[in-house]
Amino acid sequence: MKTINIFILFIVVAMAQLFVPAQMIFNKESIIKSGVAYKFKTQPVDPSDPFRGKYINLNYELNAFVTNDSVWERHDKVYVYLESDSLGFAKVNDISKRPLNLAKDHIIADVNWYNSNDKKLNFNLPFNRYYMEETKAYDAEVAVRQNERDSLPNTTYALVYVKDGEAVLNDVVINEISIKDYVEKDD
Amino acid sequence: MNSKIQTDIEELVAQRVISVDVASDIERYYSSKKSDAPNRLFTVFAVLGSTLVGLGIILILAHNWDDFSRSIKTIFAFAPLVIGQLIIGFSILKKKSATWLEGSGVFLFFAVGASMALVSQIYNIPGNFSSYLLTWILLCLPLVYLLKSNALAILHIAFTTSYACSFGYFDGNDTPWFYLLLLVLVLPYYYQLLKQKKEHNITSVFNWLVPLSVIIVLGAFVERSATLGFLMYVILFGLLYNIGKLPYFDNQKLRRNGYLILGSLGTVCMLLITSFEWLWNDILRDNFLFNSQEFYVVLVLLILTLGVLGYTYFKKWIEGFNLFQYVFILFTIIFFIGWSNSFTSLVLINLLILALGVIAIKIGADKFHFGVLNYGLLIITALIVCRFFDTDMSFVVRGLLFVSVGVGFFLTNYIMLKKQKLNSNNKK
């Protein structure tokens, strides 16, 4: 193959390599700019990933909804329609296997299991990772646990922007302070 | 030139075995032969260096620097990627050496991973590990062909294997069908190596890497029926052995033939595992599923292996009877007999292992290959050791068995050594 042809093909590959992360960024930025913000009450624990570093795993209080539809397989997609309660925290309006014609924001969650006793469908929200500076991830978990002991009810929540079924986890907040700053304040 | 050869030549000159002229001729021959060696060494160091730098960048970025704003982090995400691309573009246009292309290719490979990882961090994208690896591998695959880079092809196979493991074994119990596609996509490159660089060391690296990768991943294709997994693996090892027996691979040095060695070792290991009674009791408890994914995988592997064997037969490449080539057929039959009568299967498998040991000894003796000879003896020893765990033999019988195998080791090696000496004396 001629050098110039190889070079042209390489440019195409290079564009693709640039396009994938760039597209991820544009997509997420547009959600943050024009999406609706919801607060999800949560509890963090800290694992890590070999390439992407430390993150805290978020266990959400909002993880189930009562439904009469009992045919669910693990890892099915479920459309979760959201609204805010009187305190401003997110709650489920409705769930469905297919998109519904509702004037509500929705996210697509992952089915965990169906509890036929209390007819609840348990699901995992698709934004359960919050990346943190490696020295802060463990402190964050401890801080949240301490805060839970000191104050009732749970005041830790994740700030999530939602638009057209996609979501971006923007921040985790303890007592109205971003968890990054909260950990520093503790030191 | 090798320093040992250098000292040997000096000694030969000093002892007046060869003249000074001959010595300088020999030296000139070796130095002309090794002219490309430092270049190759440099390539290896370039690849290692780029790998370390690339991984280092990933780790530094994984610290998640909180003090930087989102836009600065974004610039960091793209900087290594763009630098890597510029270096490669420059290398292509200036027709730089393979060392450049290999080194910068590896750097770009890791830069792609780093940039996607950092974007995932900035926006807290959960995406599981296997889908992240898949995107990464696909984005770098064309580089293997554009740069004709061995290092990238090796990375491709290694990361593809890692993807299949994380998808099939760790993230859930799904079947990594994409693995097959990714492997097929790199095969043309491997085929070119086999055709054009048959004698190169790099080709034998692939001769080991490709079968190893398949062996590691095959288990992920087991969905429910673990029972059929055993049969799957025995047939896969049969396939590898028969590929290793194709004249192309068989005529090369044994250490270059990963197919043959892995196929043979794997077959013996699987047979030893299935020669235990408790395993068959467990297998029989499992329901057999004809209409399962495992059954179809077994079927495809069986057809492939029979195809390779048939082709070898058709081309008249088979010299004499070598039981190792047919073990997969015999085992398949024994496996199904075991469904109704596990005792018969157990006896047959034990006999089969014994026969394989004897045949390996015979092959070793015929070829004067001490490695193969002792491999055969090891197979028999392993069989005896395994039977120690589940038979009620008296200690005297066990002791006698061990003594006789030990004597066998000694005698066979001794006889062969003598024969070899006799042969070399006759030749003189």
Side-chain angles (χ1 to χ4, degrees), chain A residues 137-154:
Chain A
Y138 179 71
D139 294 349
E141 186 192 338
V142 175
V144 172
R145 229 182 293 138
Q146 231 142 33
N147 179 52
E148 257 163 43
R149 234 176 281 146
D150 303 345
S151 68
L152 281 168
N154 175 10

Side-chain angles (χ1 to χ4, degrees), chain B residues 227-245:
Chain B
T227 317
L228 279 172
F230 287 101
L231 184 57
M232 241 183 207
Y233 265 103
V234 173
I235 299 176
L236 173 73
F237 288 126
L239 176 66
L240 295 180
Y241 190 88
N242 278 302
I243 291 177
K245 267 287 163 191

Side-chain angles (χ1 to χ4, degrees), chain B residues 78-102:
Chain B
F78 281 97
L81 187 58
V82 173
I83 292 170
Q85 289 176 341
L86 287 177
I87 297 174
I88 290 189
F90 173 76
S91 313
I92 293 176
L93 279 183
K94 294 283 173 189
K95 293 185 181 163
K96 288 283 184 184
S97 65
T99 311
W100 268 82
L101 293 178
E102 293 272 2

Side-chain angles (χ1 to χ4, degrees), chain B residues 1 73 272 413:
Chain B
M1 186 172 40
K73 279 191 194 173
L272 283 173
N413 280 294

Side-chain angles (χ1 to χ4, degrees), chain B residues 136-155:
Chain B
W136 183 356
I137 295 167
L138 283 174
L139 280 176
C140 292
L141 173 67
L143 296 177
V144 174
Y145 291 93
L146 287 177
L147 307 180
K148 295 197 178 75
S149 160
N150 295 322
L152 279 176
I154 291 173
L155 279 175

